């Protein structure tokens, strides 16, 4: 259930709720947490720097090579070097761009795009917003252009109000893509205390949009047909694609998160005009609340935990007015994970958690509640050995905590970096993936940036008791493509 709640004070939930509770972060700023462990001999990991709290994205200016990171509350930092040590220099804040919940950032040349959400109606409503800045090589504060704002629609008091987040630039530089997550756990009514009667998801939630790179001053409504006619609504029915990335062939992929039911977490090959099933299907499994006779009971339904927040808050219930499946629409399934890692799933017949390696079943795509994010591909073939041109993703959750093993069989492993070997399957017109763990032991990792064969992974950090604790950036050295390195050396000489 990947998100950052709009009610981050006093509670940060879903994507980053766990980070606030970690005792590991209640320490002086200069203290470095335990170094993550490489699971390969040809990968090394070192601590790069401590950063400000609530870090969400890490990106690189493609012209200058400078690295930037952003925080949930709207700050944009440039990493500068002082006395041979990297430091954070704030260049923008929410007061500059007006995005009070900043979740997306991307560069196109000298242009910085930012996207996120604005609290309205006394924090009961939400508006999406994207802006762009032209960054010149000077210390002057850049001028801002608005790409779009949305009309107001209902926010809510749940952990599932995902908002506008991931950004990605098309390989040809003509378009910018943005994800907007669901405002519900599984399509239920969330009326925010009656402020937005009968409100479920709408055209401005659980979809991926595409805009011309030079678009400006747009106003987006909840009119689905108009959004499609204008060419903005690109793909539908994805619960929360908190990260997207293009592979070396120009295919767009997105990693999404299912809700509190034990659905697997999807990775989708995102294609224009496709519908990916939410809220009727998640992780390749039907959402039971769509059926008129549904009577949820954790004692008889192994997919529904009695400790699940959505169950405790009674969001699972008999729901005869649940929207009907769209007629004539075929849902596109997720990428099938063939293992050996992140492919544990709950069997629909027995209700037991089993391993896809043992059953031979492909999972759609990663184990439940693992919160995949930080998706990227080696688009420049900079990596060597078996990694060249491949994909990679982080799992935010799972694994042992503070020396105590996670009791859930679906979360025995996590907080790691996964290697994705993608293969197109002509019969299904979709992709399959071989998934292998590479690094273990991160703390709340939220994003990744590949520069050559150097990988930077940023951790969220957070606050405890009003004290800033901050996160870390880890520098990971991967095997280099020696042919590419020699070719680039010749070009520079």
């Amino acid at each position: 259930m990947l998100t950052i709640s709009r009610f981050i004070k006093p509670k940060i939930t879903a994507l980053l709720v766990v980070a606030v509770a970690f005792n590991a972060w209640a320490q002086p700023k200069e203290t470095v947490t335990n170094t993550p462990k490489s699971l390969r001999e040809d990968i090394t990991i070192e601590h790069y720097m401590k950063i400000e709290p609530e870090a969400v994205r890490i990106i690189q200016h493609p012209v200058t090579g400078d690295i930037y990171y952003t925080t949930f509350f709207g700050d944009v930092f440039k990493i500068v070097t002082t006395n041979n040590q990297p430091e954070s220099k704030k260049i923008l804040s929410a007061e500059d761009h007006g995005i009070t919940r900043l979740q997306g950032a991307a560069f196109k040349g000298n242009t910085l795009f930012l996207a996120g959400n604005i609290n309205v109606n006394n924090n009961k409503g939400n508006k999406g917003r994207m802006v762009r800045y032209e960054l010149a090589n000077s210390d002057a504060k850049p001028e801002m252009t608005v790409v779009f704002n949305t009309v107001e629609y209902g926010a809510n008091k749940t952990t599932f109000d995902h908002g506008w987040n991931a950004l990605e630039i098309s390989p040809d530089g003509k378009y910018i893509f943005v994800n907007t997550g669901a405002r519900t756990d599984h399509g239920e009514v969330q009326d925010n205390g009656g402020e937005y009667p009968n409100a479920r998801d709408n055209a401005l939630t659980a979809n991926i949009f595409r805009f011309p790179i030079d678009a400006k001053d747009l106003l987006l409504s909840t009119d689905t047909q108009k959004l499609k006619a204008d060419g903005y609504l690109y793909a539908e029915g994805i619960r929360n694609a908190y990260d997207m990335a293009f592979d070396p062939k120009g295919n767009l992929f997105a990693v999404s998160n299912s809700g509190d039911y034990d659905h697997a977490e999807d990775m989708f090959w995102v294609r224009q005009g496709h519908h990916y099933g939410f809220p009727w299907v998640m992780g390749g499994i039907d959402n039971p609340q769509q059926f008129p006779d549904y009577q949820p009971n954790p004692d008889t339904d192994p997919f529904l935990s009695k400790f699940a927040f959505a169950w405790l808050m009674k969001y699972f219930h008999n729901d005869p007015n649940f929207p009907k499946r769209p007629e004539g629409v075929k849902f596109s399934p997720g990428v099938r994970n063939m293992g050996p890692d992140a492919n544990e799933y709950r069997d629909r017949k027995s209700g037991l958690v089993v391993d896809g390696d043992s059953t031979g079943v492909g999972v759609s795509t990663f184990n439940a509640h693992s919160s995949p994010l930080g998706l990227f591909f080696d688009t420049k073939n900079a990596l060597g050995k078996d990694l060249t041109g491949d994909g990679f993703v982080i799992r935010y959750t799972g694994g042992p905590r503070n020396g105590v093993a996670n009791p859930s069989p679906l979360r025995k492993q996590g907080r790691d970096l996964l290697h994705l070997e993608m293969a197109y399957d002509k019969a299904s017109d979709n992709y399959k993936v071989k998934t292998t763990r590479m690094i273990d032991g991160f703390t709340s990792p939220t994003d990744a940036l590949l520069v050559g064969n150097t990988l930077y992974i940023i951790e969220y950090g957070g606050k405890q008791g009003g004290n800033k604790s901050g996160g870390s950036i880890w520098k990971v050295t991967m095997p280099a493509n020696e042919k590419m390195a020699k070719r680039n050396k010749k070009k520079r000489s």
Side-chain angles (χ1 to χ4, degrees), residues 15 31 54 61-63 72 94 101 111 118 155 237 261 265 269 347 360 431 444 481-483 487 491:
L15 168 63
T31 302
E54 287 95 21
H61 191 307
V63 178
F72 179 71
R101 290 178 285 134
T111 306
I118 306 170
Y261 208 64
E265 313 270 59
W269 177 19
D347 182 70
Y431 278 81
S444 313
N481 184 332
E482 295 182 4
K483 291 183 179 180
R487 188 179 307 167
K491 288 181 180 179

Side-chain angles (χ1 to χ4, degrees), residues 168 177-179 206-210 232-247 250-256 266-276 332-335 375 377 422 429-431:
E168 188 68 18
F177 292 77
V178 57
N179 173 70
N207 291 324
I208 291 177
F209 286 75
R210 184 186 72 173
Y232 303 145
L233 184 49
Y234 188 79
E236 299 176 84
I238 300 180
R239 184 176 181 270
N240 186 34
Y242 204 80
D243 214 351
M244 302 180 285
F246 284 94
D247 74 358
N251 298 308
L252 179 63
F253 290 90
V255 286
S256 184
D266 291 299
M267 178 179 183
F268 292 119
W269 177 19
V270 181
R271 290 175 278 182
Q272 187 172 15
H274 284 231
H275 196 300
Y276 294 87
S332 297
V335 172
L375 177 68
F377 289 88
M422 311 289 295
D429 187 29
N430 202 353
Y431 278 81

